[in-house]
Amino acid sequence: MPQSFENLADLMAHGFDTVIDVRSPAEFAEDHIPGAINLPALSNDQRAEVGTIYKQVSAFNARKIGAALVARNVADHVEGPLAAYDGSWQPLVYCWRGGQRSGSFASILQQIGWRADTIKGGYQTYRKLVHDAMYIDPLPHRLVLLDGYTGTAKTALLHLLAERGVQIIDLEGLAAHRGSLLGGVAGGQPAQKGFESQLAQELAKLDPNKLTVVEAESSKVGQIVLPKQIWARMSAAPRIEVSAPLAARAAFLREAYADIIADPALLRERMQPLRNLRGHAVVDGWEALLNAGDFTALATALMDQHYDAAYARSRKASDRTWLGEVHAETLDAAGRARAADDLAKLIATL
């Protein structure tokens, strides 16, 4: 019988050995159940071909051709990625709606002797659970925001807090973006749905009765929009400020943005949109520092002439509850460790 799940926690505790997503690679790339492997019943091209036959010829012809393609593809998977599994293996299979693709795939696995089953409603069931958790059901978690000017090593401090037993969510890590104009990383960002899946999974791992520390963000991280319920909690959450001297922040940014510094042409390109905001003379000054290879001075100028002013305006414009401040005189490894110790002590009192 297809497996039914009432909530994300139940689905994540499914108890099967392997979750197999048999949708096309394009569907899988956009979003999938975290931890699932992709063994397509139909490739991208085959899915398009069967869909065209369904619309232009007949449903019967589409099913007949689709069945032959699925059978060949499953045979390839059995002889390839699945060849090493013994008779005790239990896979959980899903497709888009929990219908023909997953049913056919699971049926072949069952005939071999594996205890395969499917998810009732397929990916659409899973996606509804994620959507409800992110947009409908109030988030039960108690959040505290780690706030501060650009360059105060907030993301690095989050992970040091995790090492000290504090619950965290790294939104920038999940979004594959450092949350600023210059913050893109190699490989680009996940799809919105994929981000929401990862976020929902991370939240499901946490104890809602304990504080969870999240870096203060705007409602978008790069092109990713923070879902309604996490943003509602963040908007109302109290904050801890991290402060550090401008020189320490500049030195840290040079370290943290080493990948951007290594590609001056890309850095120059990313600065161009700020001409409309800061003016040509200011951006020309930044480019002169870039051309001279003085990246510490460039980081200092970017913060002094752009990021700090933007942060000060946003802070002045909003009502924020502050729980305390941790000051780091340096933001090298030792300085970050000291700041993380101070943050952990402060959080333990809340």
Side-chain angles (χ1 to χ4, degrees):
M1 291 290 291
Q3 298 289 305
S4 297
F5 301 98
E6 296 298 321
N7 52 56
L8 277 176
D10 288 346
L11 194 152
M12 296 303 176
H14 52 73
F16 286 78
D17 296 322
T18 309
V19 179
I20 303 175
D21 185 325
V22 302
R23 297 175 303 153
S24 68
E27 293 171 299
F28 182 82
E30 181 182 25
D31 184 33
H32 54 268
I33 295 176
I37 62 172
N38 185 213
L39 299 178
L42 296 172
S43 70
N44 294 333
D45 291 341
Q46 290 169 342
R47 180 170 174 261
E49 176 191 354
V50 171
T52 299
I53 294 170
Y54 186 93
K55 291 179 180 178
Q56 297 182 1
V57 182
S58 72
F60 175 78
N61 280 39
R63 285 195 293 269
K64 181 172 66 174
I65 292 171
L69 291 171
V70 168
R72 293 190 194 102
N73 291 335
V74 176
D76 289 340
H77 297 321
V78 170
E79 292 177 343
L82 305 182
Y85 290 107
D86 61 23
S88 65
W89 181 55
Q90 289 185 270
L92 181 63
V93 183
Y94 72 93
C95 61
W96 184 258
R97 297 185 183 86
Q100 291 181 337
R101 282 186 286 178
S102 60
S104 299
F105 200 115
S107 179
I108 294 172
L109 299 187
Q110 289 165 356
Q111 292 302 313
I112 293 170
W114 286 316
R115 290 173 289 173
D117 213 333
T118 61
I119 296 177
K120 185 176 181 180
Y123 168 79
Q124 289 190 334
T125 290
Y126 166 71
R127 177 59 195 166
K128 183 179 186 305
L129 294 176
V130 172
H131 180 271
D132 288 353
M134 295 290 96
Y135 291 94
I136 306 298
D137 304 328
L139 200 68
H141 300 75
R142 299 163 56 215
L143 303 185
V144 171
L145 303 189
L146 202 58
D147 206 344
Y149 283 91
T150 297
T152 47
K154 297 183 292 294
T155 303
L157 290 172
L158 268 186
H159 291 277
L160 290 174
L161 286 174
E163 293 175 7
R164 288 155 174 77
V166 178
Q167 288 193 152
I168 71 155
I169 290 287
D170 180 4
L171 293 172
E172 293 185 1
L174 295 175
H177 198 281
R178 284 167 291 210
S180 69
L181 181 69
L182 307 179
V185 299
Q189 295 190 264
Q192 180 72 31
K193 289 180 180 178
F195 168 80
E196 291 170 7
S197 279
Q198 294 294 330
L199 176 57
Q201 183 190 40
E202 290 300 309
L203 288 166
K205 295 176 183 176
L206 302 179
D207 183 349
N209 296 312
K210 296 180 180 179
L211 287 176
T212 297
V213 181
V214 180
E215 184 174 347
E217 305 282 356
S218 65
S219 60
K220 290 183 69 177
V221 183
Q223 296 303 308
I224 294 292
V225 178
L226 295 184
K228 175 183 175 182
Q229 294 301 339
I230 186 77
W231 180 243
R233 279 292 190 201
M234 290 174 65
S235 298
R239 300 168 184 243
I240 297 172
E241 183 169 20
V242 179
S243 63
L246 183 58
R249 292 159 53 206
F252 173 76
L253 279 185
R254 177 168 182 159
E255 173 189 337
Y257 281 68
D259 57 326
I260 300 295
I261 291 171
D263 190 347
L266 177 60
L267 179 52
R268 182 177 289 104
E269 178 185 333
R270 290 185 179 180
M271 291 191 299
Q272 298 315 304
L274 291 175
R275 289 184 176 276
N276 294 329
L277 186 62
R278 299 301 176 198
H280 292 290
V282 170
V283 178
D284 286 345
W286 298 343
E287 289 194 353
L289 295 172
L290 176 61
N291 293 336
D294 194 343
F295 299 111
T296 300
L298 175 58
T300 302
L302 281 166
M303 289 186 291
D304 185 47
Q305 296 174 304
H306 173 60
Y307 287 112
D308 286 7
Y311 177 81
R313 279 198 307 274
S314 69
R315 179 169 177 169
K316 186 176 180 180
S318 63
D319 248 344
R320 299 180 179 180
T321 301
W322 298 96
L323 300 175
E325 177 184 349
V326 167
H327 181 76
E329 195 58 35
T330 67
L331 288 169
D332 55 6
R336 295 195 297 268
R338 288 191 295 269
D341 288 337
D342 292 342
L343 283 166
K345 289 175 186 175
L346 175 56
I347 290 163
T349 67
L350 301 178

